[in-house]
């Protein structure tokens, strides 16, 4: 059985991975073609973002049929072929289950609109207030009201995301049974991993006006959330001990995550939380330009590391996914120190206590999209916010500058396989522009190069298999208050791992508070890193050190 603590998950956004039929969209067959590349990297699981039938208003997170593959992505045979080929290489598939909401094109919602009371109870319909306005002042996460009026029903329905993503009513046991059946359907196909999209939003509490915010406090980690997850576990994936699950937890609290991902809680294997990725926001407001707060980043990463360890709960550890800008652009350097900073950021994540996730292209140091015109954007959240920010009076230029940093499209540009046209992603017209820096940043030039970012990720993944301390070690911050160094220590049965990183482009002096005797360099982004009590760390220098004693 694959131990998820020793595993690394690779996330694929199929639409942007590899197009094999020239229509400009990637598909499942593209993933199958690149399995040897993933095997070479050494990953254990592939998380595939949704490829189910969908109008694609939110790139597949608006599911219209959970059991059928959208023809744009291929067929069930393609899926089965992918699963089989992956299995042959010891790679497992993790499917993305979107159960907080369905597309409004889903048959359930269509029946609800047509007046069927059974299906109306699958969703959250509420009457208007006496003045005709929405039932509460809650805001959609993609901007605007979270309620949309359905004239056919004469009521509003709740949509925490796009108005074509209607929230399901988990209070209704029939909805919960439907969801369990869908999970079992994919289990029957041999799927051994599931990611549950924004799953901590499924239990809505009271429907009341929020005078302090956008409404999230009423439905985040809601009153019945643990009960719902335990039931789903019991009735579906929990019946197969080999299955690994991860829940995407939006604006969650650590206390709730102790339970979501606690070893004996009967809920999930692990959680994604996002607090460490809001250090360049203003509170919860992401559509602003503020420098990243490094002290805060460490505080959040480290407190989650310590807290989750103390409660025997498990984190997914990551910088990147399809909703986040590229990390090398965000916390590293796109210029002179591109390679060094990308490796440093990789070292920070892979040394932490948790299961590391690599998002497609991260292992190549892919950068933000660099879009400068609205026509280049595809993401519904970015397009909505363009308008919202313009309506607030910001100039076009300021809005472009914000999108350039925070848009989700930054990570959705196609995989850069080669230096050639469209980065080898498609022979047709890509659905979203390929980053022109594919001439410099691409897989073809990195796979064989022992000094590449790809080689560095490969080494980190291999080390996790070789040294138990990566998977099972405890966690302790080292010199947490230092203004530019991020350092921590892990210990497990006679193995001591020390991870030291200069997070900045300026060199710095670091007085290591620990004795370095007996430690040797396991991996570094400089060929001649020399640990010393009084250490001169070079730009973005990152070193993993190990000390092994025989009390193992
Ligand atoms: C999650 C997904 C994101 C999607 C949203 C609504 O946050 O990662 O891409 O837009 O849920 O389903």
């Amino acid at each position: 059985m694959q131990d998820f603590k020793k595993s690394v998950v690779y996330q694929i956004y199929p639409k942007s991975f590899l197009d094999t039929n020239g229509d400009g969209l990637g598909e499942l067959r593209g993933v199958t073609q690149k399995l040897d590349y993933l095997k070479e990297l050494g990953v254990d699981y592939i998380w595939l973002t949704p490829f189910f039938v969908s109008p694609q208003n939110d790139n597949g997170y608006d599911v219209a049929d959970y059991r059928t593959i959208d023809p744009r992505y291929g067929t069930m045979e393609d899926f089965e072929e992918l699963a089989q080929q992956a299995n042959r290489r010891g790679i497992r598939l993790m499917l993305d289950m979107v159960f907080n909401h369905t597309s409004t094109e889903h048959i359930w919602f269509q029946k609800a609109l047509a007046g069927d009371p059974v299906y109306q109870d699958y969703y959250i319909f509420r009457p208007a207030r006496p003045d005709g306005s929405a039932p509460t002042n809650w805001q959609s996460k993609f901007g605007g009201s979270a309620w949309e009026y359905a004239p056919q029903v004469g009521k509003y329905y709740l949509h925490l995301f796009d108005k074509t993503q209607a929230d399901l009513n988990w209070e209704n046991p029939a909805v919960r049974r439907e969801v369990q059946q869908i999970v079992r359907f994919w289990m029957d196909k041999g799927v051994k991993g599931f990611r549950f999209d924004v799953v901590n939003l499924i239990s809505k509490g009271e429907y009341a006006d929020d005078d302090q915010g956008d409404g999230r406090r009423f439905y985040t980690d809601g009153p019945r959330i643990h009960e719902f997850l335990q039931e789903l576990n019991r009735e579906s994936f929990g019946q197969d001990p080999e299955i690994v699950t991860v829940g995407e937890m939006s604006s969650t609290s650590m206390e709730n995550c102790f339970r979501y991902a606690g070893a004996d809680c009967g809920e999930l294997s692990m959680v994604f939380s996002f607090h460490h990725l809001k250090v360049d926001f203003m509170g919860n407001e992401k559509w602003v330009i503020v420098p990243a707060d490094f002290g805060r980043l460490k505080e959040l990463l480290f407190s989650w590391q310590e807290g989750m360890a103390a409660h025997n709960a498990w984190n997914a550890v990551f910088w990147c996914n399809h909703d986040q800008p590229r990390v090398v652009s965000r916390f590293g350097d796109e210029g002179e120190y591109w390679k060094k900073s990308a490796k440093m950021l990789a070292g920070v994540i892979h040394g932490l206590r948790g299961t590391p996730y690599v998002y497609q292209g991260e292992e190549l140091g892919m950068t933000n999209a660099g879009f400068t015109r609205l026509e280049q954007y595809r993401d519904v959240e970015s397009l909505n916010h363009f308008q919202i920010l313009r309506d607030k009076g910001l100039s076009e230029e300021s809005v472009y500058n914000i999108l350039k940093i925070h848009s989700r499209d930054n990570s959705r540009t196609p995989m850069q396989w080669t230096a050639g046209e469209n980065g080898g992603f498609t022979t047709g017209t890509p659905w979203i522009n390929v980053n022109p820096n594919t001439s410099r940043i691409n897989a073809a030039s990195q796979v064989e190069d022992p000094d590449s970012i790809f080689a560095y990720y490969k080494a980190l993944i291999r080390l996790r298999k070789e040294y138990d301390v990566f998977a099972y070690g405890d966690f302790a911050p080292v010199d947490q208050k230092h203004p530019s160094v991020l350092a921590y220590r892990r210990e497990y049965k006679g193995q001591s791992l020390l991870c030291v990183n200069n997070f900045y482009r300026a060199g710095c002096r670091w007085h290591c508070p620990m004795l370095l005797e007996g430690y040797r360099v396991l991996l570094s982004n400089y060929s001649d890193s020399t640990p010393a009590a009084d250490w001169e760390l070079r730009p973005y220098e990152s070193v993993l050190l190990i000390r092994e004693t025989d009390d193992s």
Side-chain angles (χ1 to χ4, degrees), residues 322-386:
H322 63 292
D323 297 327
Q324 299 292 329
R326 292 285 181 180
V327 71
V328 70
S329 306
R330 189 176 196 178
F331 299 137
D333 180 53
E334 285 187 3
E336 188 183 353
Y337 295 107
W338 163 70
K339 196 192 273 194
K340 294 259 185 268
S341 63
K343 291 180 179 179
M344 180 277 288
L345 291 160
V348 169
I349 285 296
H350 286 250
L352 290 174
R353 179 181 175 279
T355 298
Y357 283 64
V358 180
Y359 175 66
Q360 66 183 45
E362 179 187 339
E363 76 283 13
L364 305 173
M366 274 177 62
T367 64
N368 278 352
F371 292 161
T372 51
R373 285 175 295 116
L374 195 62
E375 306 84 76
Q376 295 171 305
Y377 286 96
R378 297 286 175 273
D379 172 31
V380 53
E381 184 197 43
S382 305
L383 298 173
N384 284 353
H385 279 90
F386 178 85

Side-chain angles (χ1 to χ4, degrees), residues 58 61 101 142 161 195 197-198 248 322-323 408 412:
D58 188 20
Y61 283 92
H101 44 266
F142 291 164
F161 294 88
R195 173 214 186 240
D197 190 63
V198 290
E248 186 200 27
H322 63 292
D323 297 327
R408 304 194 299 178
R412 298 177 180 183

Side-chain angles (χ1 to χ4, degrees), residues 10 12-20 26-27 29-38 41 360-361 363-364 366 413-426 434-435 437-447 454:
Y10 186 89
I12 291 186
Y13 202 65
K15 206 173 200 170
S16 295
F17 195 64
L18 181 67
D19 174 22
T20 58
E27 58 274 310
R29 283 185 176 205
V31 180
T32 312
Q33 265 193 32
K34 291 294 181 182
L35 283 171
D36 286 331
Y37 170 84
L38 300 173
L41 184 59
Q360 66 183 45
E363 76 283 13
L364 305 173
M366 274 177 62
T413 61
M415 236 339 237
Q416 296 171 198
W417 295 108
T418 69
E421 206 180 338
N422 288 325
F425 162 70
T426 180
V434 176
N435 193 317
N437 68 17
T438 193
S439 55
R440 187 167 49 86
I441 302 176
N442 58 68
S445 64
Q446 292 197 31
V447 173
F454 180 90

Side-chain angles (χ1 to χ4, degrees), residues 2 35 39 80-93 190 192:
Q2 219 142 344
L35 283 171
K39 179 74 191 159
E80 282 160 0
E81 171 73 6
L82 166 61
Q84 201 182 56
Q85 293 293 336
N87 202 27
R88 258 198 215 160
R89 291 165 178 82
I91 298 175
R92 304 198 160 188
L93 303 184
K192 296 289 183 194

